[in-house]
């Protein structure tokens, strides 16, 4: 069954239905959205005036959720109150007009974990997405913003580099948005959000916007909503989006799945050639920059540059038209940063002309969709009644050593599966009732 990816409700609502096995598919006609709560189907033809035909899946809990529907923005907003509609419209209007306060409030909205606010965020994102597509159409189908991911180990000089690099870009007429990700504490859950303090000059620039965000336990160096924040920044008119990750290791490169170009910043003491050969973050990089190449560190920086140039030759290239480069830069003296920007522009032109940039963005949307699905399935699993009541008992047994973690996990999964099978059996009897419509 082909299903458009555009859904009426956020994915978490869809997962609550999908995790219970659908029974049969029915074709129902409803007079209006108000009938969706009662679920009373109409026996009239689907092309009758005032009626809309859609496909529904009957779930074992007797709820009908839309799976295969071509939704419009109007359908998304019908459930909102007048106050909520005015709030979303105010944010959207201010955002596309370039008001920084509205952009900040919009990002706060999408970062919220409140159920109702998440629904408002989806409506806002849909409106911004329509605007985004219209802007790309006016630009002859070309992306209007260059998305760049900056990553590296702690202490590599990411924030200091962005300060100098960002000022250079704004002086050349660009509008720059920086999404800086800070790690959250495993003990308290709090985050310092201190990256902005290292960008004092850039934070006062009218053509730059800096937004620090906490990871909140998300792995990979980025946040759960970084992708959505990128879309909002582009809707606000920013043509260069920099995503600064937390200090990462070899296996943390989630940012590569949401940007056009992945830049890896490494300090002069970044290890030997063997570190470059190791699979992981190095092979995802489109450009490697050796930072702090000034003073006494110039000689070590040259040595590391030569070793990484040699190491990259042994790694499989991600692109047919671009060969990863290794450059030396200094944010203190400015050496090599203008040349680094020239190479980044060369990458943009080559990827755009070859069509690889468009293909990469399309693949990234698919990857991010599955990331959100995994997150939502785990949330639904934890909220399952049988699982929720058994978790404390099994956790105590694991902590005391009475039960191995693997067996405890199997017991929870079996409890979840047993409840799902029970609901399937109940739903099998209900599906024979003519009240739910006629099978397609």
């Amino acid at each position: 069954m082909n299903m458009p990816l555009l859904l009426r409700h956020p994915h978490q609502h869809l997962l609550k239905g999908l995790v219970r096995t659908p029974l049969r598919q029915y074709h129902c006609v409803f007079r209006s959205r108000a009938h969706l709560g009662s679920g009373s189907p109409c026996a009239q033809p689907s092309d009758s005036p005032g009626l809309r035909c859609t496909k529904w899946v009957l779930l074992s809990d007797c709820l009908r959720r839309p799976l295969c529907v071509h939704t419009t923005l109007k359908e998304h907003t019908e459930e909102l109150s007048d106050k909520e509609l005015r709030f979303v419209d105010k944010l959207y209007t201010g955002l596309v007009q370039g008001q920084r306060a509205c952009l900040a409030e919009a990002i706060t909205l999408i970062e919220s974990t409140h159920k109702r606010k998440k629904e408002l965020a989806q409506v806002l994102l849909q409106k911004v997405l329509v605007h985004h597509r219209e802007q790309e159409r006016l630009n002859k189908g070309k992306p209007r913003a260059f998305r760049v991911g900056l990553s590296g180990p702690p202490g590599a000089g990411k924030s200091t580099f962005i300060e100098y690099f960002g000022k250079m870009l704004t002086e050349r007429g660009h509008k720059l948005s920086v999404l800086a990700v800070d790690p959250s504490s495993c003990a308290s859950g709090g985050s310092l959000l201190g990256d902005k303090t290292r960008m004092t000059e850039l934070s006062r620039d009218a053509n730059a916007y800096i937004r620090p965000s906490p990871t909140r336990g998300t792995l990979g160096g980025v946040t759960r909503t970084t992708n959505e924040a990128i879309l909002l920044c582009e809707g606000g008119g920013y043509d260069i989006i920099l995503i600064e990750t937390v200090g990462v290791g070899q296996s943390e490169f989630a940012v590569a799945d949401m940007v056009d170009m992945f830049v890896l910043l490494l300090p002069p003491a970044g290890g030997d050639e063997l570190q470059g050969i190791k699979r992981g973050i190095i092979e995802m990089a489109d450009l490697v920059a050796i930072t702090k190449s000034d003073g006494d560190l110039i000689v070590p920086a040259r040595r590391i540059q030569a070793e990484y140039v040699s190491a990259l030759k042994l790694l499989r290239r991600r692109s047919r038209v671009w060969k990863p480069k290794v450059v030396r830069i200094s944010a203190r003296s400015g050496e090599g940063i203008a040349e680094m920007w020239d190479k980044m522009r060369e990458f943009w032109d080559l990827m755009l002309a070859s069509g690889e940039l468009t293909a990469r963005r399309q693949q990234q949307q698919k990857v991010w969709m599955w990331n959100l699905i995994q997150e939502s399935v785990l949330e639904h699993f934890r909220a399952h009644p049988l699982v929720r009541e058994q978790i404390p008992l099994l956790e105590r047994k694991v902590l005391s050593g009475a039960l191995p973690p693997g067996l405890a996990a199997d017991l929870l999964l079996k409890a979840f599966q047993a409840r799902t099978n029970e609901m399937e059996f109940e739903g099998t009897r209900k599906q024979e009732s003519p009240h739910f419509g006629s099978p397609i």
Side-chain angles (χ1 to χ4, degrees):
M1 179 178 65
N2 289 325
M3 292 190 301
L5 292 182
L6 188 60
L7 301 174
R8 182 190 315 238
H9 294 293
H11 62 275
Q12 63 267 25
H13 299 305
L14 177 65
L15 261 293
K16 290 179 182 178
L18 286 182
V19 79
R20 306 181 182 98
T21 306
L23 302 173
R24 293 169 67 183
Q25 191 180 61
Y26 283 78
H27 194 217
C28 300
V29 180
F30 295 88
R31 287 190 180 275
S32 67
R33 193 174 181 86
H35 286 278
L36 302 187
S38 60
S40 301
C42 303
Q44 302 181 25
S46 60
D47 55 355
S48 298
L51 298 179
R52 181 171 52 83
C53 184
T54 184
K55 291 183 180 178
W56 293 73
V57 170
L58 294 187
L59 306 174
S60 52
D61 58 356
C62 299
L63 295 177
R64 289 158 295 285
R65 300 181 189 273
L67 266 187
C68 190
V69 287
H70 295 275
T71 61
T72 63
L73 188 57
K74 181 180 178 181
E75 291 172 333
H76 278 78
T77 58
E78 284 180 352
E79 286 186 343
L80 303 184
S81 66
D82 291 340
K83 183 179 179 180
E84 290 171 333
L85 282 174
R86 288 195 299 270
F87 172 69
V88 172
D89 288 340
K90 178 182 76 74
L91 283 187
Y92 170 74
T93 303
L95 180 68
V96 298
Q97 290 177 351
Q99 298 178 17
R100 293 155 62 106
C102 289
L103 173 59
E105 195 171 356
I107 295 178
T108 300
L109 180 66
I110 66 170
E111 289 179 346
S112 174
T113 56
H114 188 276
K115 181 179 178 181
R116 190 61 177 174
K117 289 183 178 180
K118 289 170 82 171
E119 294 177 358
L120 293 177
Q122 292 301 317
V123 174
L124 176 63
L125 286 169
Q126 182 63 28
K127 291 170 74 73
V128 174
L129 187 60
V130 172
H131 172 75
H132 185 266
R133 288 174 176 169
E134 179 63 20
Q135 292 298 309
E136 286 194 350
R137 186 187 66 81
L138 295 175
N139 199 36
K140 300 179 180 179
K142 298 179 182 178
R144 298 182 66 90
F146 186 17
R147 306 170 182 174
V148 180
L150 298 172
S151 193
K158 297 185 290 294
S159 299
T160 307
F161 164 75
I162 291 175
E163 165 86 344
Y164 189 97
F165 184 60
K167 289 294 295 180
M168 183 191 76
L169 292 178
T170 56
E171 289 171 0
R172 296 187 181 189
H174 294 283
K175 286 194 69 177
L176 173 72
S177 177
V178 180
L179 301 176
V181 182
D182 260 22
S184 297
S185 169
C186 296
S188 66
S191 183
L192 185 61
L193 302 180
D195 284 334
K196 195 172 181 178
T197 61
R198 299 192 185 100
M199 310 175 195
T200 53
E201 291 296 323
L202 189 61
S203 61
R204 292 195 290 263
D205 196 315
N207 290 320
Y209 173 75
I210 304 173
R211 171 70 183 216
S213 297
T215 58
R216 292 180 180 174
T218 304
L219 300 178
V222 293
T223 74
R224 179 182 59 84
T225 56
T226 300
N227 238 19
E228 287 85 350
I230 292 173
L231 182 63
L232 293 178
C233 291
E234 292 182 1
Y238 293 91
D239 62 335
I240 298 178
I241 317 294
L242 297 183
I243 298 94
E244 179 196 359
T245 73
V246 300
V248 299
Q250 288 178 335
S251 61
E252 298 167 301
F253 44 80
V255 70
D257 286 324
M258 58 182 70
V259 295
D260 303 322
M261 185 177 198
F262 181 42
V263 179
L264 180 62
L265 303 179
L266 295 173
D272 55 14
E273 187 176 351
L274 180 61
Q275 299 298 324
I277 298 175
K278 288 181 179 178
R279 298 299 189 268
I281 196 169
I282 299 294
E283 63 181 346
M284 302 300 293
D286 299 302
L287 183 67
V288 178
I290 310 301
T291 60
K292 306 178 182 181
S293 179
D294 49 53
D296 296 338
L297 294 177
I298 290 182
V299 173
R302 287 175 178 169
R303 177 178 60 83
I304 291 295
Q305 180 187 23
E307 290 180 349
Y308 272 92
V309 167
S310 175
L312 285 173
K313 294 178 182 177
L314 304 177
L315 300 179
R316 180 179 299 174
R317 288 163 53 179
R318 296 177 64 202
S319 168
R320 293 180 289 103
V321 297
W322 175 258
K323 182 179 179 181
K325 307 285 195 301
V326 184
V327 298
R328 287 185 297 109
I329 60 171
S330 170
R332 187 166 67 178
S333 66
E335 179 188 354
I337 293 184
E339 292 77 12
M340 177 179 173
W341 172 238
D342 291 338
K343 293 187 183 299
M344 293 169 69
R345 291 182 60 185
E346 179 188 353
F347 170 88
W348 170 266
D349 293 337
L350 286 173
M351 295 291 284
L352 198 57
S354 67
E356 286 192 31
L357 185 67
T358 302
R360 180 177 288 192
R361 286 197 176 189
Q362 291 172 345
Q363 181 64 23
Q364 287 170 354
Q365 294 302 308
K366 176 183 173 182
V367 169
W368 202 244
M369 179 193 77
W370 282 107
N371 288 341
L372 292 173
I373 287 175
Q374 291 176 6
E375 177 185 326
S376 295
V377 168
L378 181 58
E379 289 178 2
H380 183 69
F381 174 78
R382 287 179 176 273
H384 195 280
L386 282 179
V387 173
R388 189 171 62 243
E389 67 183 25
Q390 291 192 30
I391 283 178
L393 173 63
L394 292 177
E395 282 183 343
R396 286 196 299 270
K397 289 187 176 182
V398 170
L399 289 173
S400 65
L403 203 64
L407 180 56
D410 287 342
L411 292 173
L412 288 175
L413 288 171
K414 286 179 180 178
F416 179 77
Q417 187 177 8
R419 176 61 177 162
T420 303
N421 292 339
E422 179 185 338
M423 297 181 73
E424 286 178 19
F425 176 74
E426 293 175 358
T428 303
R429 294 182 298 177
K430 293 176 182 178
Q431 81 174 55
E432 302 300 331
S433 172
H435 173 73
F436 294 102
S438 56
I440 342 183

